[in-house]
Amino acid sequence: MTWPLGELDDVRRLRALAAAFPGVLLEEAVLPAAFEDVWAVLGDPEGGFPGLVPDVRSLRVTERESERMRALVRGRSGLRARFDMVLRPGWCLMQSRFLVFGMAAVRDGDATRFAYMAGLRVPGVRFAGPVLRRVLGPVVLRRFVRRFTPAE
């Protein structure tokens, strides 16, 4: 007798991870672009994240060992933080001392199902969750959808 196996795709995995962080923002959308086109941008954090991820002015990878890396992120708001990262096709997870950020993407026919997670890792952040979701969530998602919507 064997135990049944439950496989989670990367979007579902990010959803499960977001449930473990109180008050994080988690947004999902179907992007009207092929997975390969989406990941060509998102798989290049130094070139793809600035301008797409809110408040990221620059990201510089300082160490790399396979899919694990460290990066220095500078933000428009004055943020300056070192992040530990895991980056592989369809999955990006970044954590600093005070922030957590993640993206996941999976093929969905000719489109790409996409999820974005962001939050603070500080006590009392649970109360910020509704504000993040209501105010920041739609703004973030619009950036991604706009970036991957073909021009008419």
Side-chain angles (χ1 to χ4, degrees):
M1 182 166 164
T2 61
W3 287 94
L5 294 177
E7 296 282 332
L8 295 178
D9 66 29
D10 285 333
V11 170
R12 287 186 175 106
R13 185 175 296 124
L14 190 63
R15 234 185 262 152
L17 184 61
F21 285 100
V24 299
L25 160 73
L26 178 68
E27 292 288 332
E28 296 183 39
V30 175
L31 303 176
F35 174 85
E36 292 76 17
D37 296 335
V38 170
W39 209 255
V41 174
L42 301 183
D44 173 19
E46 291 176 315
F49 288 16
L52 190 57
V53 176
D55 195 44
V56 174
R57 186 181 68 199
S58 68
L59 184 149
R60 185 172 51 89
V61 174
T62 58
E63 297 175 40
R64 185 182 303 242
E65 185 176 320
S66 184
E67 65 184 26
R68 298 189 178 277
M69 51 194 83
R70 290 183 186 238
L72 177 61
V73 175
R74 294 178 191 259
R76 290 174 181 82
S77 66
L79 165 77
R80 183 177 173 181
R82 295 195 182 282
F83 282 83
D84 291 322
M85 286 178 71
V86 175
L87 180 68
R88 62 179 171 262
W91 180 260
C92 175
L93 181 64
M94 299 174 62
Q95 293 186 81
S96 74
R97 184 173 172 197
F98 297 113
L99 300 168
V100 62
F101 166 78
M103 293 184 298
V106 296
R107 285 176 183 79
D108 189 3
D110 292 338
T112 301
R113 196 161 36 94
F114 171 77
Y116 174 91
M117 176 188 80
L120 299 169
R121 298 174 60 193
V122 294
V125 74
R126 177 182 322 269
F127 302 108
V131 174
L132 284 173
R133 283 187 290 277
R134 196 170 40 256
V135 176
L136 188 58
V139 172
V140 170
L141 217 46
R142 270 195 307 268
R143 285 178 182 223
F144 284 92
V145 171
R146 193 174 329 135
R147 170 61 178 86
F148 296 105
T149 298
E152 293 182 15

